[in-house]
């Protein structure tokens, strides 16, 4: 087994390949820029061709190497298509960043089934499928990393985001278990769990301002910039570990919340059988 990259040896990643999903904007675009600065050669994936090529061109203009692939990752053939393109375009695939995700805030019982199933497919099934397709390449090399962008909502589930919180909690369980399976074979798996980040996540067509932009304006200290998450991903290149909570203050707060959770969670009595279900 070849050794993992040592902290501080920047040139170690020069020419190594990285695949970043959801790289057309937000956290994914920030991760792509940060990895390009580390010398990695990038394959950027998303559905918005114009924005993807803007990110790719920006990286190229700054001296980095990036190409893009327009792909809906929920399509049944997506993982095979990405694998083919990875083999064609990346000399030495090293890192897969499963970042693409969507979130819709709505009560579960009011959501159309096809719509929440699409969310689950994007946030959980697609990253697992892509990992399943690309993992053999990393294992054959005896070196590589897989990063999932999870969420603090895995620990602090939010009402109206039950599907999203569930998908992110599942990603954490999956990522930690997979890390135990493959670490001895030279591949490390990490889950990055940020709190609120200023991006377009959850924007509906009718929104004049994305909800997280509004939150950033109203409560600036509660919202991170995407670059903070990108820096956490770069740190994992040098020091892989199973779970990285972002920011550091949340990592500490998380431990405290674990203890306080039973007292913070509202306790409601179950309605008696036969009632209309309102509490
Ligand atoms: N913002 C936050 O507060 C926050 C907090 C914790 C975790 N996260 C996680 O961070 C990740 C990135 O989210 P973000 O905040 O940067 O949101 P964003 O600005 O809405 O970006 C989401 C990205 O995912 C891509 N995407 C969505 N569906 C896709 C599909 N079917 N196929 C391919 N690409 C798809 C989008 O690209 P196209 O539209 O071009 O397809 C876009 O590039 C997500 O996993 C999210 O759950 C976000």
């Amino acid at each position: 087994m070849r050794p993992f990259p040592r902290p501080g040896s920047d040139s170690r990643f020069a020419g190594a390949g990285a695949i970043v999903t959801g790289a057309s904007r937000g956290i994914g675009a920030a991760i792509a820029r940060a990895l390009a600065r580390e010398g990695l050669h990038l394959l950027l994936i998303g559905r918005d061709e114009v924005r993807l090529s803007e990110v790719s061109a920006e990286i190229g203009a700054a001296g980095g190497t990036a190409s893009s692939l327009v792909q809906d990752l929920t399509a049944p053939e997506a993982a095979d298509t990405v694998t083919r393109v990875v083999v064609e375009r990346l000399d030495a695939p090293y890192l897969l960043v499963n970042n693409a995700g969507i979130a819709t805030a709505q009560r579960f019982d009011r959501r159309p089934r096809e719509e929440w199933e699409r969310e689950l497919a994007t946030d959980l099934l697609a990253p697992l499928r892509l990992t399943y397709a690309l993992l053999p390449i990393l294992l054959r090399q005896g070196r590589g990393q897989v990063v999932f962008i999870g969420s603090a909502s895995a620990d602090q589930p939010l009402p109206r985001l039950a599907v999203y919180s569930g998908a992110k909690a599942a990603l954490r369980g999956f990522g930690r278990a997979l890390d135990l399976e493959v670490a001895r074979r030279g591949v490390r798996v990490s889950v990055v769990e940020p709190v609120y980040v200023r991006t377009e996540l959850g924007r509906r067509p009718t929104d004049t301002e994305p909800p997280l932009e509004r939150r950033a304006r109203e409560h600036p200290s509660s919202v991170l910039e995407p670059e903070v998450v990108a820096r956490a991903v770069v740190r994992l290149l040098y020091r892989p570990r199973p779970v990285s909570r972002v920011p550091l203050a949340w990592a500490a707060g998380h431990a405290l919340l674990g203890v306080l959770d039973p007292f913070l969670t509202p306790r409601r009595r179950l309605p008696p059988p036969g009632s209309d279900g309102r509490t």
Side-chain angles (χ1 to χ4, degrees):
M1 185 175 100
R2 275 177 248 174
F4 273 107
R6 278 174 285 114
S9 54
D10 290 12
S11 62
R12 179 124 203 176
F13 295 105
I19 301 105
V20 182
T21 71
S24 56
R25 60 174 187 266
I27 294 171
I31 292 171
R33 292 185 198 101
L35 293 174
R37 279 193 292 273
E38 295 294 314
L40 285 102
H41 291 183
L42 295 158
L43 177 63
L44 312 178
I45 302 174
R47 294 164 303 180
D48 187 329
E49 188 171 5
V50 174
R51 292 178 84 171
L52 262 187
S53 39
E54 279 168 8
V55 177
S56 171
E58 186 196 331
I59 288 173
T65 306
S67 71
S68 51
L69 170 65
V70 177
Q71 178 67 58
D72 179 346
L73 290 163
T74 62
E77 73 289 353
D80 289 341
T81 305
V82 174
T83 308
R84 201 183 58 248
V85 174
V86 165
V87 171
E88 281 166 12
R89 296 196 202 161
L90 295 179
D91 290 335
Y94 175 79
L95 172 68
L96 166 63
V97 183
N98 285 299
N99 164 78
I102 55 174
T104 303
Q106 199 181 357
R107 273 177 50 171
F108 184 56
D109 58 317
R110 293 194 179 154
R111 296 183 67 177
R113 199 182 83 187
E114 317 75 60
E115 192 248 344
W116 67 255
E117 284 189 352
R118 191 170 59 246
E119 186 167 323
L120 203 57
T122 309
D123 293 353
L124 184 60
L125 196 55
L128 264 61
R129 279 186 179 151
L130 195 53
T131 304
Y132 181 73
L134 293 176
L135 192 59
I137 298 178
L138 305 182
L139 289 172
R140 266 199 303 280
Q141 295 172 165
R143 68 190 292 268
Q145 287 182 241
V146 179
V147 172
F148 294 95
I149 304 301
S151 164
S153 69
D155 274 312
Q156 279 300 290
L158 297 165
R160 304 196 305 133
L161 283 170
V163 173
Y164 181 77
S165 299
K168 295 299 185 181
L171 270 189
R172 156 138 32 103
F174 175 79
R176 292 186 66 184
L178 187 64
D179 186 51
L180 294 174
E181 282 182 33
V182 297
R184 281 169 177 273
R185 291 187 274 163
V187 177
R188 293 301 308 267
V189 181
S190 307
V191 186
V192 177
E193 299 189 335
V195 298
Y196 294 113
V197 187
R198 194 171 61 81
T199 69
E200 294 175 29
L201 189 74
R203 178 178 209 160
R204 289 163 304 190
T206 48
D207 286 342
T208 45
E209 186 179 29
L212 287 159
E213 291 278 358
R214 193 180 63 242
R215 191 181 173 96
R217 189 165 46 72
E218 291 169 356
H219 311 282
S221 61
S222 73
V223 181
L224 302 174
E225 292 300 318
E227 288 69 27
V228 178
V229 185
R231 283 199 290 276
V233 172
V234 170
R235 276 198 299 276
L236 287 171
L237 271 182
Y238 294 100
R239 299 191 68 172
R241 56 198 173 106
V243 179
S244 165
R245 297 186 174 89
V246 187
L248 270 179
W250 162 238
H254 160 266
L256 184 63
L257 278 169
V259 177
L260 295 177
D261 191 53
F263 307 101
L264 297 175
T265 307
R267 290 179 208 187
R268 297 210 179 89
R269 288 195 185 166
L270 283 174
S275 75
D276 66 1
R278 282 188 218 122
T279 48

